[in-house]
Amino acid sequence: MNNYNYFAVDIGNSWYKVLASDHGELREYQMPNAIALYDDEFYEKPYDEEDIILEENLIVEIKSPAITNKREIFYAGKAAAKQRNVSLTASNNQKADEDRTYILLFAAAAYHASVINSTDIELNYCIDQLAVSLPTTQYKERKELLKQKLIGTHTITLHKVPGIPEPKELIVKLEIKDVIVGAEGACAYLGLIRDIDTLTIKDDTLVKDSKKGIIIGDLGGDSVDFVGIKNSKPVASVEGDHFGINLFLDTIIKKVSKNELYTFDSRSELEEKLFAGQSEWYVEPFAGVRKDISKYVIPQLRIMAIKYLEHFDRARSSSSEIKGASRYIAVGGAAKLAQKQIQEAAVRWADKGRPIELTFPENLEKLNVFGLMILAKMNQLKKQHENTEELISIEG
């Protein structure tokens, strides 16, 4: 199993979470879901190149059948989030149809290739098995399109790469041999029950609970994905909705800009501050001036928490196959960010006779990408051992 290169990407509307395993060596990355058109006229040269980190200066040009616009150069991820013309995700975006999905995924793969081959300026990097995810609302109709656009050979040029000679370009020829697409939420279940290294079951209790039924609510940037699990298999009758934290982040950004005269570069800048904890919920619109933004943050998280519970309540009522489920599990970065507010709202619901007891597992914001890495390895094993029925039954 360790003789192959695996790449797992949780294509989040806020962040791309990436796990890469090269011959057994595991690395982890994440980058904002942000791109911006590059214009050489406005490129600000660093005062000291040694201060520039490639991950924060990804300027990419991609030649690929997956990309419609092959002539443009883009800032990607953290580099894009700092630009005035940054493009973030739109509500109800279709991930398999949009160039940004492939620009960011290929940029992440090229960056990873540069990390593990830091001395070469022309690299060949092969991914034996790539695993990516789609929201449940897009999974059935778009998974084959996403797979076909990713498989093949793609050329990524990284421009303005610090530490290498002029023209400061790093070219990565990326080969993706195979792709498997998982449904968000269902992948989190894999991440919950199986060990990412050995693939063995690590949580027998959860597997037993799945006989009665489990509902997983994956709260992300622009979507909330619900997956019903029965006998360790996804139940098709539970789906998600177009709802997520980005709407509330945008409201916080507007209120802070209007009232405190501080403008966030992007949602990711705000999210990083919120994830750091309430002690960091301050902005500095002017030197020496420190403003507390918790009065804008907490009400939005409370509203989101209530709506999340409402979505969860509808999901548990809508499926006849998992009515009376034994466990309700909250996962996703937005659920982690608003865990306190969700728990507070759940208490009020219980007082009103509508109890909904959610479990918040460890690493709930990373379970999808953990599951995707497990899915990638299992698919590789499945190809090697086509008759392993247990592995087939888990595939989303």
Side-chain angles (χ1 to χ4, degrees):
M1 191 164 61
N2 287 338
N3 293 327
Y4 300 94
N5 291 347
Y6 304 98
F7 208 70
V9 185
D10 179 4
I11 307 174
N13 284 315
S14 295
W15 293 86
Y16 275 40
K17 298 185 178 72
V18 179
L19 281 179
S21 174
D22 300 275
H23 300 282
E25 184 176 355
L26 194 66
R27 293 177 186 270
E28 182 176 350
Y29 312 96
Q30 68 173 22
M31 62 193 298
N33 187 338
I35 60 173
L37 271 176
Y38 171 78
D39 189 331
D40 191 55
E41 183 180 350
F42 297 105
Y43 179 72
E44 295 182 9
K45 294 182 179 179
Y47 291 103
D48 188 344
E49 189 172 272
E50 292 182 356
D51 293 335
I52 299 300
I53 301 170
L54 177 58
E55 185 182 3
E56 299 176 356
N57 193 57
L58 284 179
I59 301 170
V60 300
E61 182 177 5
I62 294 171
K63 304 299 182 189
S64 163
I67 302 292
T68 304
N69 190 344
K70 298 178 174 62
R71 295 182 178 179
E72 300 289 0
I73 300 175
F74 294 91
Y75 289 102
K78 292 182 178 179
K82 299 175 182 176
Q83 307 303 315
R84 292 182 179 177
N85 62 338
V86 59
S87 167
L88 305 173
T89 58
S91 177
N92 197 22
N93 64 87
Q94 299 296 308
K95 294 179 179 179
D97 298 330
E98 298 182 7
D99 277 1
R100 67 181 301 125
T101 299
Y102 307 97
I103 292 168
L104 286 163
L105 195 153
F106 294 152
Y111 171 69
H112 169 68
S114 74
V115 169
I116 61 174
N117 298 281
S118 58
T119 57
D120 297 328
I121 59 172
E122 289 195 17
L123 306 174
N124 292 295
Y125 181 60
C126 176
I127 297 173
D128 294 290
Q129 185 66 62
L130 169 66
V132 292
S133 57
L134 283 175
T136 53
T137 50
Q138 302 174 29
Y139 175 73
K140 291 178 185 175
E141 295 183 356
R142 290 289 188 272
K143 65 176 182 179
E144 193 59 31
L145 173 64
L146 181 62
K147 177 178 178 179
Q148 292 308 320
K149 292 184 82 167
L150 288 169
I151 289 176
T153 302
H154 319 276
T155 301
I156 302 102
T157 302
L158 302 179
H159 294 279
K160 309 292 185 185
V161 178
I164 67 171
E166 294 291 345
K168 306 188 77 58
E169 291 182 354
L170 180 63
I171 298 172
V172 179
K173 292 185 178 178
L174 173 68
E175 180 186 8
I176 300 176
K177 288 186 174 179
D178 194 20
V179 176
I180 186 165
V181 182
E184 293 173 3
C187 294
Y189 179 71
L190 273 181
L192 278 168
I193 65 166
R194 289 190 181 266
D195 184 90
I196 198 169
D197 295 318
T198 65
L199 305 185
T200 55
I201 297 292
K202 65 178 183 181
D203 192 335
D204 289 320
T205 302
L206 197 56
V207 173
K208 290 177 182 176
D209 287 347
S210 79
K211 292 179 181 177
K212 194 171 182 181
I214 293 171
I215 300 178
I216 296 174
D218 182 8
L219 184 57
D222 286 317
S223 68
V224 56
D225 292 285
F226 293 99
V227 175
I229 305 291
K230 193 77 177 282
N231 295 317
S232 287
K233 295 181 180 178
V235 177
S237 58
V238 179
E239 286 199 349
D241 208 339
H242 302 298
F243 170 78
I245 195 172
N246 285 348
L247 172 68
F248 302 94
L249 294 177
D250 290 345
T251 300
I252 295 168
I253 289 170
K254 287 179 182 176
K255 288 180 178 291
V256 171
S257 176
K258 178 181 178 182
N259 298 308
E260 307 299 347
L261 304 180
Y262 179 88
T263 303
F264 286 95
D265 287 333
S266 65
R267 294 171 187 151
S268 58
E269 182 192 355
L270 172 58
E271 270 194 297
E272 284 186 300
K273 186 177 288 292
L274 300 186
F275 273 116
Q278 193 165 350
S279 62
E280 300 297 320
W281 292 1
Y282 292 87
V283 294
E284 294 186 19
F286 310 105
V289 177
R290 200 162 180 252
K291 296 282 189 177
D292 182 359
I293 63 169
S294 59
K295 59 185 175 184
Y296 309 110
V297 173
I298 293 173
Q300 293 302 312
L301 295 184
R302 285 175 176 162
I303 296 171
M304 185 181 73
I306 293 169
K307 290 186 177 297
Y308 176 56
L309 288 184
E310 290 173 350
H311 280 288
F312 223 122
D313 196 35
R314 276 196 291 272
R316 69 175 175 177
S317 302
S318 65
S319 173
S320 58
E321 296 169 271
I322 49 171
K323 272 191 174 176
S326 60
R327 296 274 290 273
Y328 306 124
I329 301 175
V331 304
K336 181 176 183 179
L337 197 57
Q339 180 174 342
K340 180 182 176 184
Q341 288 75 23
I342 294 169
Q343 289 171 320
E344 289 173 348
V347 170
R348 291 194 295 274
W349 274 43
D351 292 341
K352 294 177 181 177
R354 296 171 65 191
I356 180 165
E357 296 181 9
L358 296 180
T359 301
F360 294 82
E362 185 179 2
N363 291 318
L364 70 163
E365 79 281 15
K366 299 179 180 177
L367 287 173
N368 269 313
V369 74
F370 288 171
L372 283 167
M373 177 54 73
I374 292 166
L375 190 62
K377 291 181 176 180
M378 294 178 79
N379 198 52
Q380 186 69 39
L381 281 177
K382 191 181 80 172
K383 287 187 291 187
Q384 294 173 275
H385 308 284
E386 289 292 343
N387 294 325
T388 307
E389 294 182 358
E390 179 190 3
L391 303 181
I392 295 173
S393 69
I394 293 296
E395 181 179 324

